[in-house]
Amino acid sequence: MKFLTFIFITVLTLNAQAQLDRKSIYNALASDSKEIVQKQLEGIKTAKETSEVKAFKGALQMKAAQFEKTAKDKMALFNTGKKILETEIKSNDSNVEFRFLRLLIQENAPKQLKYNGNIEEDVLNIVAGYSKLKESTKTALEAYAKKSASLKGLI
């Protein structure tokens, strides 16, 4: 009986760890704190590598690039994250949350990176798929829409 209890608790613990803390991740993406972004990146490394985890990891790496010291390091980290996020979007074209992650980055990336070619497409996907999003994602999206040039008044 003790063995079954141990297995049950272990499964519950693993399941709890497998869940992404979206609120914390979205707070990190909205933050200007290197420590907060790094904490989320470190935390996501322990999660099982799913498409969802990869997309968040890519977005967080792109956000973390702003804290690198040299332009070369910033570009390298940004491009690594970009490759991850873009791969997940291509594999999951209808995933509205991945489109939201990309929009967040595109609207806030420096213009010289020229990472802004999918804004209109992403906005259309986000507006159309809004009702299918998880509540934590809707909350983050609604907060972001208030200051977004592309989403203001649409959500």
Side-chain angles (χ1 to χ4, degrees):
M1 187 64 168
K2 287 183 182 181
F3 181 73
L4 288 176
T5 304
F6 173 75
I7 296 293
F8 180 73
I9 291 172
T10 302
V11 168
L12 285 178
T13 303
L14 290 174
N15 190 37
Q17 289 175 347
Q19 299 295 321
L20 289 173
D21 182 359
R22 281 176 164 71
K23 182 179 178 184
S24 294
I25 292 171
Y26 284 118
N27 285 339
L29 289 170
S31 129
D32 286 323
S33 167
K34 178 180 180 177
E35 292 76 24
I36 291 172
V37 174
Q38 283 303 123
K39 181 180 178 188
Q40 291 306 310
L41 263 173
E42 289 301 317
I44 211 164
K45 286 180 182 177
T46 62
K48 182 181 177 190
E49 194 152 291
T50 63
S51 184
E52 188 175 66
V53 168
K54 290 178 192 176
F56 279 109
K57 182 180 177 183
L60 284 166
Q61 284 181 336
M62 294 166 80
K63 174 68 176 180
Q66 79 183 52
F67 304 114
E68 293 296 316
K69 293 194 186 315
T70 67
K72 181 180 176 183
D73 291 342
K74 288 179 185 206
M75 280 299 293
L77 187 56
F78 186 87
N79 286 333
T80 298
K82 176 181 166 183
K83 183 177 179 183
I84 294 168
L85 181 58
E86 290 296 329
T87 298
E88 294 312 313
I89 290 172
K90 284 179 185 157
S91 298
N92 303 281
D93 190 49
S94 62
N95 188 308
V96 177
E97 187 166 30
F98 294 1
R99 300 297 188 119
F100 174 47
L101 289 171
R102 180 167 65 184
L103 180 69
L104 271 167
I105 300 298
Q106 288 186 111
E107 284 195 331
N108 294 289
K111 299 293 182 222
Q112 62 266 30
L113 292 176
K114 297 179 183 167
Y115 188 63
N116 56 6
N118 303 98
I119 291 176
E120 290 178 27
E121 170 190 345
D122 290 344
V123 168
L124 291 173
N125 277 280
I126 291 166
V127 171
Y130 174 79
S131 64
K132 300 173 196 164
L133 291 171
K134 295 179 182 182
E135 284 304 314
S136 55
T137 304
K138 283 182 181 178
T139 301
L141 179 57
E142 289 164 2
Y144 181 71
K146 292 175 185 174
K147 59 184 177 183
S148 166
S150 303
L151 289 174
K152 200 170 211 148
L154 296 176
I155 301 293

